[in-house]
Amino acid sequence: MEGSVGYDNDLNLRATELRLGLPGTEPVSIVRSNKRSLQQVADDDCGVNGCKSDDQNETAPPPPKAQIVGWPPIRSYRKNNIQTKKNESEGGGIYVKVSMDGAPYLRKIDLKIYSGYPELLQAIENMFKFTIGEYSEREGYKGSDYAPTYEDKDGDWMLVGDVPWEMFITSCKRLRIMKGSEARGLGCGV
Amino acid sequence: MQKKMAYSFPDEVLEHVFSFIQSDKDRNAVSLVCKSWYEIERWCRRKVFIGNCYAVSPRMVIRRFPEVRSIKLKGKPHFADFNLVPDGWGGYVLPWIAEMAGAYPWLEEIRLKRMVVTDESLELIAKSFKNFKVLVLFSCEGFSTDGLAAIAASCKNLRELDLRESEVDDLSGHWLAHFPETCTSLVSLNISCLRSDEVSFSALERLVGRCPNLRSLRLNRAVTLDKIANILRRAPQLVDFGTGYYAAELQPDVFSNLAGAFSSCKELKSLSGFWDVVPAYLPALYSICPRLTSLNLSYATIQSPDLIKLVSHCPRLQRLLVLDYVEDSGLEELASSCKDLQELRVFPSDPFGAEPNVSLTEQGLVAVSLGCPKLRSVLYFCRRMSNAALVTIAQNRPNLTRFRLCIIEPKTPDYLTLEPLDVGFGAIVEHCKDLSRLSLSGLLTDHVFEYIGTYGKKLEMLSVAFAGDSDLGLHHVLSGCESLRKLEIRDCPFGDKALLANAAKLETMRSLWMSSCAVSFGACKLLGQKMPKLNVEVIDETEPPDSRPESCPVDKLYIYRSVAGPRFDMPPFVWTMDEAVRILH
């Protein structure tokens, strides 16, 4: 096989491969370990900022860029304030994805910046431009086709509002605004 | 006949006329007319501004102006804000205070920026100036609350104590209690930089309550939301207010109390603070929003919808500082609601993140440039830009005087064409004829400097990073920008040629900073040798510059004009190129 490296154990199919590119150039193959569950592949549409996998434990993260001293040019005073905030909130906000049935993209919110359910729901209403119904313990959310739900640590889908706020923000992994019959089913109070 | 008239004009009359001339530039011009005017002027100059504390010595100032009441001093170079100037570089105020203590017993005002201020300095101020009224420490460091206690206790007529953005060793909130009960003169108090959680709140409340002339009050984070109402009710005459924390569990009575307190402040025009905001409390501000002219939300992690709601209530807004959570949509709302807007600053919420976390692009800035006809001053952090957007902004807003753009990733090209942003910035300098301050970013070649040298005739301050191809870039700026006073450069391939060819220019400027560029040690020495009125300082924390060949580039270089000669308070990692001093070293 002229012009190509011989592999002892390999059939060296590469030499016979049809591919684009000048002879002598090796195609770069990027191996991604995209071990995503079927559910996530179905749900995880491209975010506003492009198709990036946000699930850190699924793709090998790119090596962190070396931070340049003094860049971006932010005053130490301001940087310290951001840092203090981050430290105070125990290592950063609690960011969860929010999806809404029928909406083409997901959003992400920081649960830490809300002080309770009313604010959270208000923010979600604003974000997706719709109204959630009135919450009651017995009947869930009445008066609208939508119900806010969340996936908790155990992987179960729960109705937002059932547990105390503090418990909610520590156990919530992601939010989903359900619509239609699915939504009504959850509030059924069986 | 004319000569006779000049001599018959009594000094007192001239002095009286000069008293109407407040600007430094005009005063300097007056002093150059003739010897007698120089003499009269120097005896009646009450305010001195020294833009570089090492450009002149305290003795020289005192000798020329014996009756000064107010002094303003600046110390470290601007890039010290971004940690580029090592600790210990200099900028000590103590020698100034020590000299002035004896010479200016009637000194009333001291304003400092980027200087090192020790407790000893503060104690000396407290002891030496019987009629002391104003202390402003802007971005200073080196002192603790003990020093503040001395000021509080001794200055019987204190009007202003403003510690904006300084680093204070916060030992105890108790220093506030050192203001005597007889102190009723405060007009302005800014303690927003104090970080500890203890502030003697009762002392603060009493102080605020007994100062009827208090116009400006900026609290720190220790003051919780429920306490704000108490403070405001004691000072309904406030014009400028900085909140502490603006977060708490939403409680109707706290909310209505707060809203009521705000609405009783009929003069309130400016708000800041807002650390940790709970959006539900923002409507408490709605009653004062129609009067607001200045709003600083740059520490508030409020999302765009809440920001939009707030801003839409503020039609008179002239100045807005905000985080990039405002997003393009928020800026579009700003552009349609706030037609009086003059200054906009958008800061990054996640400056070190690799990916954008918010939807803020060049579109937001374009919208504001179109919608806000009075916009003059811009500071904008974003992640992408295009030449087309910059040209549009320049054409929309030729009245811009300050334009600082920071594209977060260095050397980012035009995202549409992948070309350098030379043409865009060129349009800015070409159209904005009164542009006095410019900060560049993104991918830039020598061409942008050609535009700047050609059109930037009023440019006084230029900041450059990761730009240019060769010495030609620097040469364009130094030879073309007639009004240039401050030039700061980092990580650019500018070397000896342009610097040495324009050495004389450096004497017409306040200062030049160059770090991580290509200026050789040899060129620095030559410059120091040829230009005795320049202080050429080489800063290198790793090793002495002469331990390497002369052709090696220096790490950091700071050049400034001075009539005081080289300074003697340099730390070991700063070398002066003044030949005499260097040889003695």
Side-chain angles (χ1 to χ4, degrees), chain A residues 29-89:
Chain A
S29 59
I30 300 165
V31 178
R32 280 221 173 89
S33 53
N34 255 330
K35 294 194 297 276
R36 287 157 134 206
S37 70
L38 216 58
Q39 172 77 351
Q40 274 172 310
V41 168
D43 289 353
D44 222 342
D45 298 327
C46 283
V48 174
N49 298 316
C51 295
K52 278 270 179 233
S53 171
D54 287 314
D55 304 300
Q56 300 287 5
N57 46 3
E58 304 217 348
T59 42
K65 266 191 219 162
Q67 250 183 49
I68 305 171
V69 173
W71 192 267
I74 299 168
R75 305 201 38 218
S76 333
Y77 179 76
R78 188 168 289 282
K79 258 195 292 194
N80 291 342
N81 270 287
I82 298 177
Q83 205 47 56
T84 311
K85 270 198 184 167
K86 285 207 167 140
N87 294 339
E88 277 170 11
S89 53

Side-chain angles (χ1 to χ4, degrees), chain B residues 471 494-497 499-500 514 517-528 536-538 545-546 548-557 559 577:
Chain B
D471 271 50
F494 300 149
D496 301 345
K497 275 192 279 215
L499 200 57
L500 293 173
M514 292 179 76
C517 296
V519 180
S520 73
F521 182 53
C524 294
K525 281 199 289 190
L526 192 57
L527 203 57
V536 180
E537 290 181 12
V538 170
D546 53 14
R548 296 188 298 263
E550 275 202 7
S551 55
C552 270
V554 297
D555 181 27
K556 296 173 181 170
L557 173 62
I559 303 172
M577 297 298 103

Side-chain angles (χ1 to χ4, degrees), chain A residues 48-49 52 65 67-82 84-86 88 95 107-108 110 113-115 119 122-123 126-127, chain B residues 81-84 139 165 167 192-193 221 245 275-276 278-280 298-299 301 303 325 347-348 351-352 355-356 381 406-410 465-466 490:
Chain A
V48 174
N49 298 316
K52 278 270 179 233
K65 266 191 219 162
Q67 250 183 49
I68 305 171
V69 173
W71 192 267
I74 299 168
R75 305 201 38 218
S76 333
Y77 179 76
R78 188 168 289 282
K79 258 195 292 194
N80 291 342
N81 270 287
I82 298 177
T84 311
K85 270 198 184 167
K86 285 207 167 140
E88 277 170 11
Y95 283 93
R107 298 299 301 264
K108 225 174 195 186
D110 177 3
I113 69 173
Y114 305 102
S115 64
E119 256 167 278
Q122 178 82 53
N126 287 340
M127 215 178 244
Chain B
D81 282 355
F82 315 131
N83 294 347
L84 288 177
S139 207
E165 298 179 33
E167 296 236 1
S192 54
C193 62
R221 300 154 71 121
Y245 271 120
W275 285 284
D276 277 356
V278 162
S298 63
Y299 299 104
T301 51
Q303 305 296 321
Y325 289 123
F347 295 96
F352 306 111
E355 295 299 323
F381 283 82
C406 178
I407 305 166
I408 289 181
E409 181 64 32
F466 304 102
R490 63 163 295 175

Side-chain angles (χ1 to χ4, degrees), chain A residues 137-164:
Chain A
E137 227 177 22
R138 270 196 56 213
E139 293 175 328
Y141 289 85
K142 277 185 70 180
S144 128
D145 261 355
Y146 296 95
T149 65
Y150 71 100
E151 186 184 5
D152 75 358
K153 278 194 181 135
D154 303 322
D156 298 321
W157 287 90
M158 315 284 293
L159 189 68
V160 168
D162 282 340
V163 302

